[in-house]
Amino acid sequence: MNGYGYYLRYAQVLLRFLPVALALLRDRRRFLLFGPPRRVSTATHRERAERLTETMLDLGPAFIKVGQVLSTRPDVVPPTYVEVFSGLQDEVPENTGGDPMAVLEAELGDDLDLETLEPVAGGSLAFVYTAAYEGERIALKVRRPELVSMIERDLRVIRGFVPLLATFADERQRYSLENVADDFEAIILEELDFEREAAIMDEIGENFADDDRVVVPDTYDELCSERVIAMEFVEGRKITNEDALAAADTDPTEMATLIARTYLKMGLVDGVFHADPHPGNLAITGDGRLVIYDYGMSQRLTPQEQEDITNLYRTLVRRDVDGLLNTLIALEVLEPTVDRVAVRRVLELVIENLEGRSEITWRAIITELLSMLRDFPFRIPPNVMLLVRVGTVGEGVCRSLDPEFDFLGATRSFLVDHGFIESELEALLAETRTDLRESAPVLARAPARFDSVFGQLERGELVVRTDPVGPPSGSDPAVGYAVLAGALFVATAVLTLHAQPYELPSLLAAVAATVQYVRARR
């Protein structure tokens, strides 16, 4: 790509984003360089976010991916923009990036009858067809021929905008912007690798081979290449289509639960997951099975990452502040040198804010968590970012099926079923065992101590002294009886645990002290 093409594209992108950028700058300073900040309504921000979404769709694949990445980063963009960007899907005109037919003719012209091709769908990076092959219909995901050069150019443009954006950002946002740019580039380059996608698709298919409720299309290795993925053609209707659910005699809540547990299994049990569960990639077959399409945005986890991310889910579900702090450091979201006391206070405030709400969602937890961590330099590694996206987008799909769906409840149930956390009863029993273990030495020494106390009582050696809080105005013997009666009643309660009937004399003494207290008062 020559320098002229780069600068032309840079100017084009700048002009497209400039109106919204100026509006955002005026929110901070009414006259750009000076003046008070402006108050802007949520409706205005939503309108701007929708304009940005349309602009990113027009600018092509790289910018669509930018929006998808930003939908998981409330540390960079406000919550309203996160919500709007989360609906950004890979729907672009077929002619963007060239005609995919040129790729098919070059790659599979001798293996397929191209006259049997039928278009199915278009995405930001590829186009999907069906074709006849060995007496069956197969699906072909074809990378757009001019895509790589377009992506490389736009990646340079996006990288060129980082210093400009950093000029208007505070120190925390500059840190986040640099990390977003790095992570975004890694993610989109992985999506361009169709051989990697086919391999991950096969691996996920093997992991669900024994589950007849989930369908992962098989691949045809002999037809796959760097630019084409040939796979089994599985017909299905969009998961959010109410008629499709009714025709398959499938309860929406049941399907939402299946989606949640399927993605939790991928991330927490298998360690390889599909990271783009928007409605366009999920379908339901005629017999009620879940079909998952498009594995470009997928990821593998190392065993350590898998363990740390499982801890993240566990600590969030259990509201474990100390565990959450340790997990965020282990995941490299926070630096090991971070002020742990300050972060702990912030995390406690996050939990307190969430518990004050009538409804708690995964999106609310993540938004609140990352928004409250704004004062601390932090980053979201690509694997964590993709899993956050799985949770927020997946929850959105589940709640579109069942508006009352409890994603956190489904997560807790999954964690219990797979032994990642104890059930409520087991947790209560564990806490009780811990309390008893810690209290046993005290209880064991209690009888001897009470024997000593009663011996002193019998010999008249026990004296209770109280310091006056003000100038004495005369003695009040009732106070001493009241204190003694209270102490003896407590002793009686404790002594009921002892095998010997020590509680009886203690109770009698308590009653006697109470009688003396009443008489003194009279």
Side-chain angles (χ1 to χ4, degrees):
M1 181 186 66
N2 57 45
Y4 175 76
Y6 166 77
Y7 289 112
L8 184 63
R9 180 63 167 174
Y10 190 98
Q12 178 190 14
V13 173
L14 180 62
L15 289 174
R16 293 297 305 272
F17 285 114
L18 190 59
V20 175
L22 290 174
L24 292 171
L25 288 174
R26 289 191 63 205
D27 293 346
R28 300 175 64 178
R29 294 185 178 89
R30 183 177 294 273
F31 303 105
L32 294 182
L33 299 178
F34 61 91
R38 297 192 305 175
R39 286 189 175 182
V40 180
S41 67
T42 301
T44 300
H45 279 301
R46 180 172 294 278
E47 182 182 344
R48 291 176 184 172
E50 290 171 352
R51 287 173 57 192
L52 285 173
T53 299
E54 293 174 2
T55 300
M56 287 185 282
L57 283 169
D58 291 341
L59 288 173
F63 291 92
I64 291 174
K65 295 301 174 185
V66 168
Q68 291 176 341
V69 170
L70 289 178
S71 72
T72 64
R73 298 302 300 265
D75 59 311
V76 178
V77 295
T80 301
Y81 293 78
V82 168
E83 183 180 349
V84 175
F85 292 165
S86 66
L88 195 60
Q89 298 181 14
D90 296 348
E91 296 177 1
V92 295
E94 182 178 354
N95 58 3
T96 301
D99 184 5
M101 284 295 296
V103 174
L104 284 175
E105 290 172 357
E107 298 274 351
L108 300 174
D110 297 333
D111 299 304
L112 294 177
D113 180 1
L114 298 184
E115 292 184 358
T116 65
L117 285 178
E118 293 181 8
V120 175
S124 61
L125 304 183
F127 205 83
V128 180
Y129 298 91
T130 64
Y133 179 68
E134 296 183 350
E136 297 180 352
R137 297 297 294 180
I138 65 170
L140 300 167
K141 181 178 179 180
V142 186
R143 196 174 75 190
R144 301 171 186 271
E146 301 166 15
L147 192 66
V148 172
S149 59
M150 288 177 57
I151 294 292
E152 289 175 347
R153 176 199 63 193
D154 286 348
L155 285 175
R156 283 189 59 200
V157 170
I158 293 166
R159 178 67 68 178
F161 272 109
V162 171
L164 179 62
L165 293 173
T167 303
F168 299 97
D170 57 33
E171 182 177 354
R172 175 196 56 77
Q173 287 178 319
R174 284 196 293 271
Y175 182 86
S176 295
L177 282 170
E178 292 169 359
N179 286 308
V180 166
D182 291 339
D183 297 341
F184 160 73
E185 191 168 328
I187 288 170
I188 196 168
L189 290 176
E190 285 181 345
E191 281 202 63
L192 291 173
D193 186 351
F194 278 20
E195 291 177 333
R196 173 184 179 274
E197 179 179 343
I200 285 185
M201 192 173 173
D202 288 340
E203 190 172 346
I204 293 176
E206 290 175 4
N207 292 334
F208 285 93
D210 296 330
D211 191 339
D212 57 7
R213 301 168 303 167
V214 179
V215 181
V216 179
D218 294 327
T219 60
Y220 292 81
D221 293 339
E222 68 275 13
L223 300 179
C224 293
S225 67
E226 183 184 354
R227 298 189 293 176
V228 177
I229 301 176
M231 70 195 86
E232 174 189 8
F233 176 55
V234 181
E235 289 191 85
R237 299 171 71 182
K238 198 170 184 178
I239 196 71
T240 51
N241 186 320
E242 294 181 5
D243 292 338
L245 289 169
D249 194 24
T250 301
D251 180 68
T253 303
E254 180 185 349
M255 179 53 67
T257 302
L258 175 60
I259 292 171
R261 294 182 71 90
T262 296
Y263 277 87
L264 287 166
K265 178 181 182 296
M266 280 193 256
L268 306 185
V269 178
D270 302 331
V272 55
F273 61 96
H274 176 270
D276 199 17
H278 65 71
N281 287 338
L282 301 177
I284 180 172
T285 63
D287 56 357
R289 295 182 297 163
L290 171 67
V291 188
I292 304 175
Y293 301 123
D294 192 359
Y295 293 76
M297 192 180 286
S298 300
Q299 193 60 267
R300 288 189 180 90
L301 302 174
T302 66
Q304 185 60 53
E305 287 173 332
Q306 195 174 338
E307 180 180 347
D308 292 337
I309 288 170
T310 301
N311 287 334
L312 176 64
Y313 276 82
R314 180 192 297 118
T315 55
L316 283 172
V317 166
R318 298 186 66 175
R319 316 287 204 275
D320 179 358
V321 174
D322 291 318
L324 178 58
L325 174 55
N326 292 332
T327 301
L328 291 175
I329 292 174
L331 286 169
E332 299 180 354
V333 173
L334 293 171
E335 297 289 337
T337 56
V338 73
D339 185 342
R340 296 176 68 97
V341 174
V343 174
R344 194 182 191 285
R345 284 198 296 267
V346 168
L347 296 180
E348 287 175 342
L349 185 59
V350 169
I351 299 299
E352 182 180 332
N353 289 345
L354 290 170
E355 289 180 341
R357 300 184 184 182
S358 58
E359 181 181 68
I360 302 177
T361 64
W362 175 257
R363 179 183 293 280
I365 290 176
I366 295 300
T367 300
E368 186 78 21
L369 176 63
L370 299 184
S371 297
M372 293 292 285
L373 288 174
R374 287 177 181 273
D375 294 333
F376 304 93
F378 76 97
R379 68 183 295 267
I380 304 180
N383 290 347
V384 178
M385 188 206 72
L386 288 176
L387 274 172
V388 167
R389 173 179 170 77
V390 168
T392 53
V393 176
E395 180 184 55
V397 173
C398 292
R399 291 176 72 86
S400 69
L401 295 173
D402 175 9
E404 303 299 323
F405 184 73
D406 185 359
F407 186 81
L408 291 181
T411 301
R412 172 181 287 276
S413 174
F414 179 89
L415 294 176
V416 170
D417 291 346
H418 287 77
F420 293 126
I421 62 173
E422 309 93 341
S423 66
E424 295 294 340
L425 177 60
E426 289 173 333
L428 178 62
L429 291 174
E431 291 176 4
T432 302
R433 285 195 297 269
T434 300
D435 291 342
L436 289 174
R437 187 166 53 250
E438 293 175 353
S439 302
V442 177
L443 293 174
R445 293 192 296 270
R449 291 184 177 180
F450 282 118
D451 280 342
S452 175
V453 171
F454 287 131
Q456 289 178 303
L457 281 172
E458 291 171 357
R459 295 191 298 272
E461 298 174 355
L462 183 63
V463 178
V464 178
R465 290 187 182 144
T466 60
D467 294 328
V469 295
S473 58
S475 61
D476 186 1
V479 173
Y481 289 120
V483 172
L484 181 59
L488 288 169
F489 277 121
V490 171
T492 300
V494 174
L495 288 171
T496 56
L497 301 174
H498 199 272
Q500 300 298 323
Y502 291 124
E503 69 273 14
L504 295 178
S506 177
L507 178 60
L508 292 174
V511 171
T514 302
V515 171
Q516 288 298 108
Y517 167 75
V518 173
R519 289 179 60 188
R521 277 298 180 195
R522 289 181 178 178

